[in-house]
Amino acid sequence: MGYGFPGDADDFEAELAREINHADPADLSDVVRLVEEFRGRIVARQDPEFDTAVTAAVAEIRAARGMPQ
């Protein structure tokens, strides 16, 4: 549906199926962790300031390492 980063939906579905297939029915903590992680990626990607913040951070790291912009 265009949420998250490119390829996230396919990766999420594959990882979710794997976690569910290997999960102990009494302990679904790894399934919960996966869903929370994916939710965080969607939230980050939908933030209008996200791309700007990532670009600024990369520029700062490159400058600190003396790398060309």
Side-chain angles (χ1 to χ4, degrees):
M1 293 180 53
Y3 297 117
F5 295 92
D8 271 355
D10 292 335
D11 291 344
F12 173 71
E13 288 179 15
E15 288 183 47
L16 183 60
R18 186 172 43 254
E19 291 296 341
I20 289 171
N21 288 333
H22 293 96
D24 176 345
D27 179 14
L28 297 176
S29 59
D30 287 338
V31 174
V32 171
R33 176 201 49 79
L34 179 65
V35 171
E36 288 174 343
E37 178 183 310
F38 186 70
R39 180 187 62 199
R41 292 173 63 88
I42 291 172
V43 169
R45 186 66 175 167
Q46 298 306 313
D47 182 345
E49 300 298 319
F50 180 79
D51 289 333
T52 303
V54 170
T55 301
V58 169
E60 288 177 26
I61 291 168
R62 288 178 168 274
R65 292 183 178 173
M67 299 171 72
Q69 300 290 326

